[in-house]
Amino acid sequence: MGPGTSTIQKMPNPAEPAARKPDPRGPDMRVSLAGVPLRSPVIAASGTFGYGLEFEEILSFRRIGAFVTKGLSAQPMAGNPAPRIIETAAGMMNAIGLQNVGVKAFVEQKMPRLRQIPDAVVIANIFGFTIADCLEVIQALNDAPGIALYELNASCPNTAHGGMVFGTDPRLLEELVRKTEQISQRPLMVKLSPNVTSIATMAKAAEDAGAHALSLVNTFLSMAIDVETRRPRIANVTAGLSGPAIKPIAVRMVYEAARAVKIPVVGLGGILRAEDAVEFLLAGATAVQVGTASYADPRAVENIAEGLKRWCAAHHVAHVTELTGGLQL
Ligand SMILES: Cc1cc2nc3c(=O)[nH]c(=O)nc-3n(C[C@H](O)[C@H](O)[C@H](O)COP(=O)(O)O)c2cc1C
């Protein structure tokens, strides 16, 4: 969507207050994310939900807001050598290295099947080693019907180039977002790296360059050593830490980012229960994503979405949107 060509604001949106009627069956869980209406603010995070198809028999797509695909690159990627996942005290470390089928196979083989799943809202996660790579992925996705939104991964810690390099330099991030937004035919959400000194600076840089929403956080750069062999426990040496261990840092970062920008912020990092999601919403998030929790329980995203609904009912929250930024200081 280049300058002056954006239709995002004009799209009819049943989640807008004017169109919203109180639901006698319970709290209204609908939210609007950059013009995309979602049934619930709870979304399955990238890299922990495959291409969605793997979860068709496991949970109800009707009960969750959306899901984000594994990161898609211009060419198929085999990822890093094993071992590339380990469990930690309160989470996990991974250095998958963006293993994926490539955007062409996603569009030709996965998307037609995904479109058969009623109620599945697809967010395509985009990765590239260079800006040109990212543009190639977006071009390929633009022609594929059935995708609601793009999430641009400017934050993967597990590749030597691209990924986190974009997400830690505000000028590079601005250039990446500006160029991708210009050709994007869908709302563009930019996924920020937590491996920075000032998340507010990065959030503002992405907003100024044209991002329609932000998601944060990706994993924290980390390392573990086997003291018997004295070798790294992950073949890539360093890896990304996720899960409950990172939640308090992620909540702080969402709070700081949400205060710095006007565009919606999607919060994630260590969400296991409905109350964790509420924390992110109160910190300023419009929606949340659930990642590592799906490894322990493949139905976690649905359970958290349903739990959030019950939490709202028990706390007399008529519309889940009331929680966003509700932190009392
Ligand atoms: C195994 C694994 C693979 C991941 N792959 C991706 C990816 O391809 N693209 C991306 O943007 N984030 C990826 N992530 C990051 C997650 O989407 C999420 O940002 C992070 O894990 C923090 O959330 P969590 O603590 O709920 O897992 C991955 C995370 C894990 C654990």
Side-chain angles (χ1 to χ4, degrees):
M1 294 195 172
T5 61
S6 171
T7 54
I8 293 165
Q9 301 307 325
K10 293 176 204 142
M11 285 166 57
N13 178 8
E16 293 299 337
R20 193 167 49 196
K21 291 193 190 109
D23 185 349
R25 292 167 302 176
D28 186 346
M29 300 306 287
R30 292 173 298 171
V31 297
S32 168
L33 180 58
V36 176
L38 304 178
R39 278 188 207 90
S40 162
V42 182
I43 299 167
S46 179
T48 62
F49 208 76
Y51 299 99
L53 296 165
E54 298 86 340
F55 286 77
E56 190 180 357
E57 308 292 328
I58 294 174
L59 52 68
S60 160
F61 282 85
R62 199 179 165 70
R63 296 209 181 103
I64 68 173
F67 79 91
V68 188
T69 68
K70 176 66 190 164
L72 302 165
S73 50
Q75 302 301 327
M77 283 172 63
N80 291 327
R84 49 189 196 172
I85 286 191
I86 57 166
E87 197 171 336
T88 61
M92 64 186 272
M93 287 166 59
N94 94 84
I96 303 291
L98 274 309
Q99 177 183 2
N100 79 101
V101 296
V103 70
K104 191 165 181 285
F106 173 76
V107 167
E108 287 172 5
Q109 293 159 26
K110 310 284 184 192
M111 265 323 287
R113 287 170 55 205
L114 274 171
R115 293 186 67 206
Q116 305 294 314
I117 304 180
D119 307 317
V121 177
V122 183
I123 300 178
N125 184 281
I126 293 155
F127 172 80
F129 290 102
T130 62
I131 293 179
D133 285 346
C134 294
L135 296 177
E136 195 178 329
V137 177
I138 292 179
Q139 291 284 16
L141 293 172
N142 276 344
D143 296 334
I147 300 169
L149 201 123
Y150 297 149
E151 180 178 63
L152 179 65
N153 179 3
S155 46
C156 179
N158 299 323
T159 52
H161 311 286
M164 201 173 80
V165 179
F166 291 122
T168 51
D169 177 335
R171 274 164 307 178
L172 262 184
L173 182 68
E174 266 193 67
E175 187 184 351
L176 172 72
V177 175
R178 190 166 21 82
K179 289 188 172 158
T180 47
E181 197 275 338
Q182 267 167 13
I183 66 152
S184 172
Q185 288 176 15
R186 301 199 164 99
L188 184 72
M189 175 159 77
V190 177
K191 188 165 180 182
L192 297 178
S193 171
N195 300 298
V196 295
T197 309
S198 168
I199 196 72
T201 303
M202 304 308 291
K204 195 81 181 69
E207 180 184 52
D208 289 347
H212 304 125
L214 301 176
S215 53
L216 64 144
V217 295
N218 207 316
T219 53
F220 285 81
L221 201 52
S222 58
M223 187 169 163
I225 299 170
D226 182 328
V227 294
E228 299 304 326
T229 62
R230 303 190 177 197
R231 294 185 58 76
R233 292 187 63 202
I234 296 269
N236 189 54
V237 183
T238 58
L241 178 67
S242 62
I246 69 171
K247 197 192 79 181
I249 320 178
V251 171
R252 186 265 297 173
M253 289 190 147
V254 165
Y255 170 69
E256 290 177 351
R259 280 161 59 109
V261 297
K262 294 191 175 62
I263 52 178
V265 170
V266 176
L268 74 157
I271 296 177
L272 284 188
R273 306 176 308 145
E275 285 81 356
D276 300 329
V278 174
E279 252 189 272
F280 278 93
L281 297 175
L282 292 174
T286 295
V288 297
Q289 292 182 12
V290 174
T292 298
S294 293
Y295 276 80
D297 173 8
R299 292 193 66 205
V301 189
E302 179 177 336
N303 290 340
I304 293 167
E306 291 293 294
L308 180 61
K309 196 172 178 182
R310 285 194 300 274
W311 191 94
C312 288
H315 291 78
H316 310 291
V317 175
H319 306 291
V320 71
T321 51
E322 292 166 22
L323 293 175
T324 297
L327 174 73
Q328 303 283 312
L329 290 174

